[in-house]
Amino acid sequence: MLEIDELHVSYGKVRAVRGVSLAARPGRVTLVLGANGAGKTTTLRAVMGLQSVDSGRVRVDGTDITGKDTHKVVRAGVSLVPEGRRVFAPLTVEENLLLGGYSTSATDRADTLQKVYGMFPILSDRRDGAAGLLSGGEQQMLAFGRALMSRSKYVLMDEPSMGLAPSVVQTVLMTAREIADSGIGVLMVEQNAEAGLQVADEVVAISQGEVGFTGDVAAARADRAILRAFLGESALSN
Amino acid sequence: MSAWYDAHLILVQATFISFLVALSIQFPMRMGVFSFAGVANYALGAYTAAIVVVRSDEIVSPVVSVGAGVLVAVVVSLILALIVRRLRGLYLAMATISVSLIVQVIAFNGGELTGGASGMFGVISDLTIGSVIVVCVVAAGILTWTERGTLGRRIDAVRDDPELAVSMGINVNRYRLVAFVGSGVFGSLAGGLEVLLRSTISPVNVGFSLVVTALTIIIVGGYRSWVGAAIGAVIVTWLPFYLQAMERYQQVIYGLFVVVAAIFVPGGLLGIADQARRRLVRRQLEHEDQEAAAEQDAGGAAVVDAVGASRKEEAR
Amino acid sequence: MQELINAVSLGCIYMLFAMGMSLVWGTLDVLNFAHGSIFMFSAFSGFYLMQETGNSLPLAALLLVGVVVGALMSVLAYQLVLRPILRRAKDKDSAERQILIGGIGLAGIPVAIVQIQTLSNPFSFRAGSFEVASYDFLGARISNIQIVIWVVGVLLGTAVVLWLRRSRSGLALRSIGVDSEVASLMGIDQGRLGVAAMAVAGGMAGLSGALLCVSFGALTAESGDVLLLKAFAIIILGGVGSMLGTIIGAFFLAGAETLLIANTSGTWVDAVSFGLLFLVLLVRPQGILGRQEVRRT
Amino acid sequence: MTQHTVPPTVAEPASALVLDARDVAIHFGGVKAVDGVTMEIAEGKIFGLLGPNGSGKSTILAGITRLVPLKSGSLTFDGRPYDDVPTFKLARWGMARTFQTVRLLGDLTVEQNILLGADVGRSSGVSRRAAATERKECVADVIDRTGLAKFVKWTPSELSYGVQRRVEIARAIVMQPRLLLLDEPVAGMTKSEKLEIAALLSDLRAQGLTQLLVEHDVQMMVDTCDHLYAMNFGKLIGEGVPADVVKTPAVQEAYMGKGWRADA
């Protein structure tokens, strides 16, 4: 289990995350909802050691990784698919994937590479092309593949559907589901709440740096506050 | 007093000249133009003044000889500004360092005109330190005007965010042009005045070490105001004199100064003073505006992701 | 023919020097202005040891001193100055500016020390324990030192290119150049790789310093500054981040300079690189082989 | 293509166009970021521009402000074509904007940042001294209206994101513009902050300020705008009364994704 316990993070004078506790479990998708600026991305960055933590603990299967350097967090079995994908555009698709497996052994790397190619045939077809030339959806697949290459037990995903064509959003989120089904714990921040709920098992809602709701998908769908904040009551709910 | 003055005349002169040299790099820097052409302008000013004085049969007024240097430097600066208008940041810095070194190579190879490697001697004039001080005071006056009010704010905008500046109706390109011309004026004034005071100039005086010295002055003092250049000029000129040990290791210690400042106090001494003043103001404000601070906190959470996101945007 | 031999030798030295500088600029975002004085000081260290040991150092030891001193200085510069600046700077632009300023400050220190030690006179490895021999080579003369330069140049040049292209750590280094934050998300320890890259760069600078001092007779305290700007011209000519471009640029500049020396008195030689730099910046700022942004939105 | 599905806007007196962007195309390399967009911004109204990330909204804003060159098309401001007028002159003509990311000068106080807007040289023939007092009054008035009085001596880094945003808007208003372009002014704000900004914009409209609002928040767009443009893939996919535009299938699909309607 990836446990975030009473995490506090501040940015200069601003307290961005105030006592967030949540968990990701193997084989399950935990969806984190929250408005822009609620502290979701900051939480993920803090877990990865990209942001310093004021107080609180982050544990991976019992091992404390709070405040560890990013590369050590990755070695402890947690990886992040960053917002906006951020593939290494000038490098080839295969180089991107190999980088994902940077801290694994050579044999493991070759092994996982074949698995990832099996999962995403499009990446196999384009393996020698520059990653920057892939379409948005393909780049997201590459970002997923890159995270899988590290053989992490937990994958954090920051807005995987952001900026993608609507038709691709479903595919991308279904892929996230498949990744969880293979036994990996997925912690996903997603703006597109409805699409996110379709693949999630558990839901955490964050507002102004604090957790407002924790529960399974059914409970979330039944929660009026969640409905109002993330799904409905807009002009579109005709 | 007078005895002291006579004994320290050279240091007094050096202080004012260093101030002008530093301004030739600081002035464009304040407008976001990271140019080292000031050193080239110094060389142009010095050599032009020297050539005018030495080649002419009659006694030439400093106004004419130094003026000729300023004219040459300004013309060259304008041409340079047009040539490098597309360059920014490091590329501009390195290109202008190259210009300075090309000028040095030309001085080396100028044959009879520039005196080659040994340079020029006997540049005699009736220039006094008083005139130099007047020049510096006038320069400081003009700069004070550019650092205040509307003009000061606009220059801040041009430096910190050129795209914002144009959206606020500021003609950024014109400011950049002014930056080059200003560098030409200050640099050539420094060169012209110095050559008349010392009566000699050689290629060694206009090389890379002048870049380091000018940069030391600005970095130690602070790049945001002419006051920084003045503080820096005083320190860099007088410290070696008072620290006997420093005489020999002067350049080593300059290097250390620059390194330490670049890491810890990029704003120089002036920046430190500024921060201290601000901290004082803030403490007062915090007493007055407890409620404002409270309001701050409520909306505070929103800052973070947006800041993080914009950082990432930039990184991409 | 003689010119060609000289040009290739000079080109090898330029290449060793510029490749190291290009390596850390393209990956760590460090335009190390002290690279030139590292080059100079490494050669000077050899000279100093040579004097202390009564001219008994063999050539190999001299080169080794150059490599070790260069690597050491480069790593120290990175750990003590450049990395702290990168970490503390508030944005990319000010980081760039402070790195350059800090580098200029750093560069001044060894230069000043050597000026004091040599009283600003040139220093050279006068006849040491090794002998300079010349051989006939296709109607021209080539010295044993030039052969050493060629061999070292070809071997190291190839090694660095292969390292970056083929190896796991080379790939990691390239990824840092593209997006250092995501690189750390791949599990890459940037601190260690950065030190390694700086050590390689400094070692190559030191080696080229020793080689240049041996083959061309003498260096002065200021030699590094000029070479630094030449290397900048070379890198810009080839395109930042392109090793192949750097290699081509190095030989191009060496060729142009050798031609000029052969046909004039040689005092204008430094103006070639600066003129060239200027020209490239104006006409094609991304260099001959500079990579265009690969992007699709 | 969705033009005909949108009910015709209520016939209104042909008011003067503040901004007329006709068949604007902007290409980056081979990418058609904006591909033949026409927008007619009439006086005194708030116009909205809606579209998902990467649809070309920010690009067309950059084109309108002449920060990037057009591939083709024409631009007219208050009847004056400005295809070759530099950005800084446009600002003096009365085009003010805010940016997608906060862009305040960190070394200046809030007051000084706002004064920067008042400095824009739109001389009105008044004597210098009179202009200065007038300017001061205008700044004081704007500071008051935007609720920034408490923060005038603060520096931007000490302010929350919402307050920083308000300073940016205040700086633009102080320019006394003819047209105000707002690039995602409420992104990352809390609900209450959003409402505040929306009220401020409506207030400005009441005073006759024409605005073009680029935003993600559908609810805010519907509530605040008089006329809405919707974009995707560099093209307009809808235009008209906001509440109607957001209901068209093309906009719903572009903005909310497939499957949204089935579950909502």
Side-chain angles (χ1 to χ4, degrees):
Chain A
M1 192 165 69
L2 171 69
E3 283 173 283
I4 300 171
D5 188 15
E6 278 293 315
L7 196 69
H8 285 263
V9 183
S10 51
Y11 216 121
K13 287 184 180 170
V14 181
R15 295 186 290 141
V17 174
R18 318 174 190 196
V20 163
S21 298
L22 52 87
R25 293 175 181 80
R28 298 178 73 81
V29 176
T30 305
L31 174 68
V32 182
L33 296 175
N36 254 330
K40 300 163 301 188
T41 296
T42 311
T43 306
L44 297 193
R45 290 175 62 82
V47 171
M48 296 310 296
L50 294 171
Q51 185 85 57
S52 59
V53 171
D54 292 347
S55 66
R57 290 267 145 279
V58 182
R59 284 183 213 92
V60 181
D61 297 332
T63 316
D64 193 334
I65 58 161
T66 323
K68 284 249 164 69
D69 285 344
T70 306
H71 61 95
K72 288 182 182 147
V73 175
V74 175
R75 273 166 217 181
V78 186
S79 54
L80 170 69
V81 180
E83 186 182 333
R85 299 168 280 283
R86 291 169 82 178
V87 298
F88 297 107
L91 306 186
T92 66
V93 168
E94 182 147 313
E95 284 174 332
N96 268 271
L97 291 173
L98 291 174
L99 280 165
Y102 181 77
S103 36
T104 61
S105 74
T107 46
D108 278 0
R109 205 154 53 233
D111 234 34
T112 325
L113 187 64
Q114 289 319 310
K115 271 187 206 144
V116 169
Y117 279 149
M119 196 168 170
F120 307 107
I122 181 74
L123 298 184
S124 177
D125 296 344
R126 314 284 286 273
R127 64 173 79 184
D128 294 322
L133 295 175
L134 298 177
S135 75
E138 288 161 358
Q139 288 190 12
Q140 188 64 54
M141 297 304 167
L142 177 56
F144 282 155
R146 201 172 57 177
L148 292 177
M149 286 295 296
S150 67
R151 299 195 149 198
S152 291
K153 281 171 283 182
Y154 302 93
V155 176
L156 318 182
M157 302 177 180
D158 196 354
E159 306 268 7
S161 81
M162 193 181 83
L164 293 182
S167 48
V168 185
V169 171
Q170 296 292 317
T171 325
V172 163
L173 293 182
M174 283 316 295
T175 309
R177 178 74 253 172
E178 281 167 36
I179 289 172
D181 289 342
S182 73
I184 289 171
V186 172
L187 183 64
M188 179 165 73
V189 164
E190 179 56 62
Q191 280 280 348
N192 192 337
E194 182 45 50
L197 281 173
Q198 288 175 10
V199 300
D201 300 299
E202 276 148 65
V203 178
V204 177
I206 299 185
S207 137
Q208 301 205 6
E210 292 172 32
V211 172
F213 171 92
T214 309
D216 63 14
V217 171
R221 284 189 190 280
D223 189 292
R224 290 200 58 82
I226 294 269
L227 283 176
R228 187 173 304 129
F230 300 110
L231 294 171
E233 227 186 43
S234 77
L236 291 143
S237 58
N238 42 354
Chain B
M1 181 66 199
S2 151
W4 178 90
Y5 178 77
D6 287 344
H8 296 80
L9 182 61
I10 290 176
L11 280 176
V12 174
Q13 287 175 354
T15 311
F16 286 100
I17 299 292
S18 304
F19 173 62
L20 288 174
V21 174
L23 287 184
S24 74
I25 289 173
Q26 189 204 34
F27 182 72
M29 218 180 204
R30 251 186 70 222
M31 300 201 185
V33 176
F34 198 26
S35 159
F36 289 98
V39 173
N41 292 323
Y42 173 91
L44 289 173
Y47 269 98
T48 308
I51 290 167
V52 167
V53 169
V54 172
R55 299 283 154 219
S56 104
D57 297 329
E58 294 151 47
I59 290 169
V60 186
S61 144
V63 177
V64 174
S65 53
V66 175
V70 172
L71 196 69
V72 169
V74 166
V75 169
V76 171
S77 294
L78 277 171
I79 296 170
L80 181 66
L82 291 178
I83 295 177
V84 300
R85 69 183 182 284
R86 272 161 56 204
L87 301 182
R88 299 279 180 272
L90 279 184
Y91 294 87
L92 180 62
M94 299 300 273
T96 49
I97 290 181
S98 296
V99 171
S100 299
L101 291 179
I102 289 177
V103 171
Q104 192 189 19
V105 172
I106 293 173
F108 257 118
N109 291 282
E112 204 143 304
L113 187 66
T114 62
S118 49
M120 303 183 73
F121 304 92
V123 189
I124 310 295
S125 92
D126 54 357
L127 182 79
T128 59
I129 178 83
S131 323
V132 177
I133 295 176
V134 169
V135 168
C136 287
V137 169
V138 171
I142 294 173
L143 289 172
T144 306
W145 168 65
T146 67
E147 287 169 13
R148 298 194 168 184
T150 306
L151 193 54
R153 280 194 292 274
R154 288 186 180 190
I155 289 174
D156 283 346
V158 168
R159 176 189 61 242
D160 290 345
D161 194 340
E163 196 178 278
L164 170 71
V166 292
S167 301
M168 305 301 292
I170 299 168
N171 187 349
V172 170
N173 288 333
R174 196 197 291 161
Y175 280 70
R176 288 224 165 95
L177 205 61
V178 170
F180 276 94
V181 171
S183 167
V185 172
F186 291 126
S188 56
L189 273 176
L193 294 174
E194 167 134 64
V195 80
L196 294 189
L197 288 174
R198 292 203 332 195
S199 80
T200 77
I201 179 79
S202 79
V204 192
N205 303 129
V206 297
F208 186 69
S209 63
L210 192 59
V211 173
V212 177
T213 308
L215 201 60
T216 312
I217 294 172
I218 300 167
I219 295 306
V220 168
Y223 74 96
R224 302 287 298 278
S225 162
W226 68 265
V227 180
I231 297 172
V234 170
I235 293 178
V236 165
T237 315
W238 291 81
L239 205 60
F241 174 72
Y242 283 112
L243 294 178
Q244 286 301 320
M246 242 189 97
E247 285 239 86
R248 205 162 130 87
Y249 291 96
Q250 184 174 326
Q251 290 289 333
V252 177
I253 292 171
Y254 285 0
L256 286 174
F257 272 169
V258 174
V259 167
V260 170
I263 304 173
F264 299 105
V265 275
L269 289 176
L270 205 64
I272 299 179
D274 236 31
Q275 265 177 8
R277 190 179 50 80
R278 230 176 244 163
R279 210 164 291 152
L280 257 170
V281 172
R282 194 176 305 155
R283 205 164 292 159
Q284 279 172 359
L285 281 175
E286 270 162 20
H287 278 298
E288 289 166 21
D289 285 323
Q290 287 296 345
E291 53 187 313
E295 183 176 311
Q296 274 284 117
D297 224 26
V303 183
V304 177
D305 278 5
V307 170
S310 69
R311 288 262 163 83
K312 269 181 260 159
E313 284 295 330
E314 282 164 19
R316 233 171 274 157
Chain C
M1 191 63 213
Q2 188 62 51
E3 271 87 59
L4 189 65
I5 291 175
N6 292 346
V8 171
S9 309
L10 187 62
C12 280
I13 290 172
Y14 282 176
M15 177 192 80
L16 288 175
F17 182 81
M19 267 179 118
M21 191 165 139
S22 178
L23 176 73
V24 293
W25 188 12
T27 57
L28 308 179
D29 267 344
V30 166
L31 174 60
N32 184 7
F33 208 95
H35 201 66
S37 55
I38 290 173
F39 152 93
M40 183 277 303
F41 199 83
S42 306
F44 177 78
S45 306
F47 163 77
Y48 187 79
L49 275 180
M50 192 77 136
Q51 278 193 324
E52 294 293 300
T53 55
N55 291 341
S56 67
L57 279 186
L59 181 62
L62 210 54
L63 299 185
L64 190 68
V65 168
V67 172
V68 171
V69 172
L72 216 64
M73 286 175 75
S74 183
V75 168
L76 279 178
Y78 182 62
Q79 292 291 51
L80 297 182
V81 180
L82 304 172
R83 199 147 175 248
I85 290 178
L86 281 176
R87 217 181 283 146
R88 298 168 66 106
K90 61 176 193 284
D91 55 48
K92 209 172 154 15
D93 278 356
S94 47
E96 209 174 59
R97 198 177 58 222
Q98 278 164 252
I99 286 277
L100 185 63
I101 290 172
I104 290 176
L106 267 179
I109 298 171
V111 171
I113 292 175
V114 173
Q115 275 172 345
I116 294 165
Q117 293 289 324
T118 62
L119 304 171
S120 292
N121 289 317
F123 59 88
S124 66
F125 306 138
R126 273 167 312 241
S129 54
F130 51 91
E131 264 171 46
V132 179
S134 297
Y135 315 97
D136 274 336
F137 181 72
L138 300 174
R141 299 186 69 74
I142 181 166
S143 71
N144 53 351
I145 289 166
Q146 280 175 319
I147 294 173
V148 170
I149 290 174
W150 287 26
V151 170
V152 168
V154 170
L155 283 183
L156 268 181
T158 323
V160 170
V161 169
L162 283 182
W163 178 45
L164 277 178
R165 286 266 138 244
R166 297 282 162 80
S167 79
R168 170 170 161 272
S169 56
L171 176 61
L173 206 52
R174 280 189 288 147
S175 78
I176 293 174
V178 181
D179 185 336
S180 65
E181 186 170 279
V182 177
S184 72
L185 285 171
M186 302 295 105
I188 294 164
D189 183 350
Q190 294 193 39
R192 260 175 53 190
L193 261 186
V195 166
M198 286 302 284
V200 169
M204 286 170 82
L207 186 60
S208 58
L211 286 173
L212 191 67
C213 199
V214 171
S215 64
F216 284 74
L219 289 179
T220 66
E222 295 85 10
S223 299
D225 302 333
V226 176
L227 188 60
L228 179 88
L229 286 161
K230 284 183 186 178
F232 186 77
I234 288 167
I235 295 170
I236 296 292
L237 183 64
V240 179
S242 163
M243 280 298 149
L244 202 60
T246 304
I247 295 172
I248 294 172
F251 286 104
F252 184 86
L253 181 67
E257 286 189 355
T258 310
L259 274 181
L260 192 78
I261 292 175
N263 295 311
T264 69
S265 65
T267 44
W268 285 95
V269 80
D270 290 339
V272 174
S273 52
F274 307 143
L276 198 66
L277 168 64
F278 227 75
L279 219 66
V280 179
L281 283 175
L282 293 180
V283 181
R284 200 179 149 80
Q286 74 272 33
I288 309 168
L289 293 181
R291 55 174 175 229
Q292 297 273 19
E293 282 289 286
V294 186
R295 189 182 288 164
R296 172 166 155 185
T297 28
Chain D
M1 132 221 173
T2 54
Q3 220 78 320
H4 63 280
T5 66
V6 177
T9 37
V10 186
E12 48 193 53
S15 58
L17 288 186
V18 174
L19 176 73
D20 187 0
R22 206 145 288 281
D23 289 321
V24 170
I26 299 170
H27 295 187
F28 295 126
V31 182
K32 297 177 179 172
V34 174
D35 195 14
V37 171
T38 294
M39 284 161 88
E40 299 178 337
I41 310 295
E43 189 167 2
K45 294 189 186 312
I46 300 182
F47 285 77
L49 178 55
L50 185 73
N53 275 321
S55 61
K57 294 172 308 201
S58 286
T59 309
I60 195 169
L61 219 55
I64 288 173
T65 51
R66 301 242 335 108
L67 286 173
V68 299
L70 303 193
K71 171 89 177 172
S72 63
S74 68
L75 297 165
T76 314
F77 187 60
D78 265 341
R80 286 198 272 186
Y82 67 92
D83 301 319
D84 52 357
V85 173
T87 306
F88 74 89
K89 275 208 179 125
L90 273 184
R92 296 180 189 175
W93 287 8
M95 189 187 287
R97 71 168 299 182
T98 66
F99 292 88
Q100 201 170 1
T101 52
V102 173
R103 287 170 98 159
L104 296 169
L105 298 181
D107 295 316
L108 302 185
T109 62
V110 166
E111 188 176 30
Q112 286 170 326
N113 265 288
I114 296 175
L115 273 167
L116 191 63
D119 295 339
V120 174
R122 287 217 292 148
S123 52
S124 46
V126 219
S127 81
R128 257 197 120 109
R129 195 172 295 262
T133 36
E134 192 184 302
R135 218 162 49 195
K136 242 180 216 160
E137 274 166 27
C138 173
V139 169
D141 175 53
V142 168
I143 287 175
D144 207 39
R145 262 195 296 163
T146 46
L148 292 169
K150 273 178 240 167
F151 303 113
V152 283
K153 295 287 175 220
W154 295 51
T155 52
S157 63
E158 300 164 324
L159 301 173
S160 75
Y161 183 66
V163 180
Q164 291 182 15
R165 279 298 198 188
R166 263 192 281 160
V167 177
E168 286 209 304
I169 295 175
R171 183 177 62 195
I173 300 171
V174 161
M175 290 167 74
Q176 298 188 308
R178 279 280 290 155
L179 173 66
L180 177 57
L181 307 168
L182 298 142
D183 195 355
E184 303 197 14
V186 301
M189 284 194 179
T190 59
K191 194 83 190 165
S192 61
E193 284 174 325
K194 283 185 185 181
L195 291 175
E196 264 176 47
I197 298 288
L200 178 64
L201 300 186
S202 301
D203 190 31
L204 290 169
R205 171 180 48 193
Q207 294 164 30
L209 179 59
T210 315
Q211 298 162 54
L212 175 58
L213 174 62
V214 176
E215 221 358 286
H216 264 313
D217 189 317
V218 179
Q219 182 70 53
M220 176 171 174
M221 293 298 256
V222 171
D223 293 345
T224 320
C225 299
D226 301 300
H227 190 96
L228 192 63
Y229 292 98
M231 268 183 93
N232 204 10
F233 303 116
K235 292 187 157 102
L236 282 186
I237 55 168
E239 176 192 352
V241 174
D244 298 333
V245 172
V246 297
K247 278 181 200 153
T248 57
V251 173
Q252 296 231 328
E253 189 179 312
Y255 215 75
M256 305 304 291
K258 270 180 192 147
W260 178 84
R261 276 153 72 80
D263 296 284

